[in-house]
Amino acid sequence: MIRTGISTASFFDTLMLEDAPALLKAWGIRYSEYYLNSYCEYDPAFIEPLAHASEDAGICVTAVHPMSLQYEPQLFTPHPRQRDDAFKAYETVLKAAERLHADHYVMHGPVVLNGAAKNLQFERLAPIFDRLSEMAEDHGLRLTLENVSYGIMPTPGIGQQLQSLMRRTLYHTLDLKQAIRAGVDPMAFVDAFGERIIAVHACDCDRSGEKPRFCLPPRGGYDFKRMTDALVKKGFSGTVMLEAYSDMYRSHSELKDAYTALDRQINA
């Protein structure tokens, strides 16, 4: 049976993070990925009561996913002061994740914009990813690189190239909507990375119009069961998190229903 849950990113601007454990408990959901929205949510003064609330609610925090643009691109900058400050922020979030007993950290990595050639120098970036992975391991975590359409890894081939230059194992979070946004079949990531995928961000996609429209399960008809069956054959033993945008629903009850539909399809 595959573990399923909800990423608190789904509650963006509709529910504060500290209120999520009680709601998830009321819904009977045991697993969650915590999306940390801003610097104040990295602080131990915020994390400690959040950890207690999560423990009291019986929530297993599988991962921590910070607001990546706040410091992650600067982890890879050539400028030493920018990089040093970014590593301090990263260390703070790793400590928060450790206190929450998370299994892994979800990273977007450097942003790739037109003309940003330095963000594609894999020989320079691979040792940084090794260092980031080692730091995560020091806190009992695995670093996962998520495929994002505007990031360093919109396609599987780039992840394979980066891994070939690294000493440590590069794990992955597979985001279905970001794969589709990049014009890539999510199954291509399953085929390429196999058991190195340790988490999935799931939402649905309606392709009946001219452009794909992301929506809650099961409104788009995506075959989540086919995907998770393929993952299991590759050795997957991680979690599938419903990660929706808050403009996909009008009430939290719709989000709960979407989670139920996703879980039923995957574990049918």
Side-chain angles (χ1 to χ4, degrees):
M1 189 171 188
I2 291 179
R3 296 175 298 164
T4 59
I6 293 181
S7 167
T8 64
S10 305
F11 298 124
F12 183 79
D13 204 30
T14 69
L15 184 75
M16 290 299 183
L17 176 56
E18 60 268 30
D19 297 323
L23 181 61
L24 294 171
K25 179 182 179 181
W27 287 355
I29 295 173
R30 292 187 56 209
Y31 301 99
S32 183
E33 174 186 294
Y34 280 4
Y35 183 82
L36 304 180
N37 295 276
S38 194
Y39 291 99
C40 65
E41 294 185 356
Y42 309 160
D43 194 291
F46 178 86
I47 292 297
E48 189 62 29
L50 178 65
H52 283 297
S54 303
E55 292 159 2
D56 291 344
I59 304 299
C60 175
V61 182
T62 61
V64 162
H65 186 354
M67 173 61 182
S68 60
L69 293 178
Q70 288 173 343
Y71 67 85
E72 281 188 4
Q74 288 73 40
L75 292 168
F76 304 91
T77 179
H79 196 288
R81 288 178 180 170
Q82 291 181 351
R83 191 171 59 248
D84 288 349
D85 282 348
F87 267 89
K88 290 175 184 175
Y90 177 63
E91 178 75 24
T92 299
V93 175
L94 290 178
K95 290 178 180 177
E98 183 178 21
R99 176 62 187 91
L100 291 165
H101 307 296
D103 170 78
H104 59 279
Y105 174 112
V106 182
M107 174 171 283
H108 287 183
V111 175
V112 178
L113 304 173
N114 289 337
K118 292 178 181 177
N119 284 349
L120 289 175
Q121 294 172 343
F122 297 116
E123 293 79 4
R124 184 181 70 83
L125 298 178
I128 299 175
F129 273 106
D130 275 324
R131 181 183 172 191
L132 295 169
S133 296
E134 184 177 9
M135 289 174 67
E137 291 167 10
D138 288 343
H139 292 277
L141 301 159
R142 290 179 288 181
L143 174 68
T144 70
L145 180 61
E146 183 178 13
N147 60 293
V148 289
S149 58
Y150 56 85
I152 189 176
M153 195 187 69
T155 64
I158 293 175
Q160 291 173 317
Q161 185 179 353
L162 185 60
Q163 176 66 87
S164 71
L165 298 170
M166 290 178 58
R167 294 178 291 104
R168 283 180 153 73
T169 300
L170 182 62
Y171 296 100
H172 296 285
T173 291
L174 169 59
D175 190 298
L176 303 185
K177 60 184 175 300
Q178 288 290 342
I180 294 169
R181 183 170 283 163
V184 179
D185 184 344
M187 296 300 292
F189 288 96
V190 175
D191 294 338
F193 299 145
E195 64 183 8
R196 289 195 285 124
I197 296 174
I198 60 175
V200 176
H201 288 166
C203 78
D204 216 332
C205 183
D206 181 355
R207 301 197 187 205
S208 61
E210 292 184 6
K211 295 182 179 180
R213 182 179 65 84
F214 298 110
C215 56
L216 295 177
R219 298 173 186 172
Y222 187 80
D223 193 345
F224 296 102
K225 179 67 171 174
R226 171 175 170 263
M227 177 202 64
T228 52
D229 283 351
L231 277 169
V232 169
K233 288 180 181 178
K234 293 279 190 176
F236 178 77
S237 60
T239 54
V240 176
M241 290 287 159
L242 175 63
E243 188 190 67
Y245 295 133
S246 55
D247 61 1
M248 292 180 187
Y249 60 86
R250 291 169 293 182
S251 69
H252 285 155
S253 62
E254 291 181 60
L255 195 62
K256 179 179 182 293
D257 291 344
Y259 164 78
T260 300
L262 176 67
D263 180 69
R264 285 176 177 169
Q265 184 183 148
I266 289 174
N267 289 307

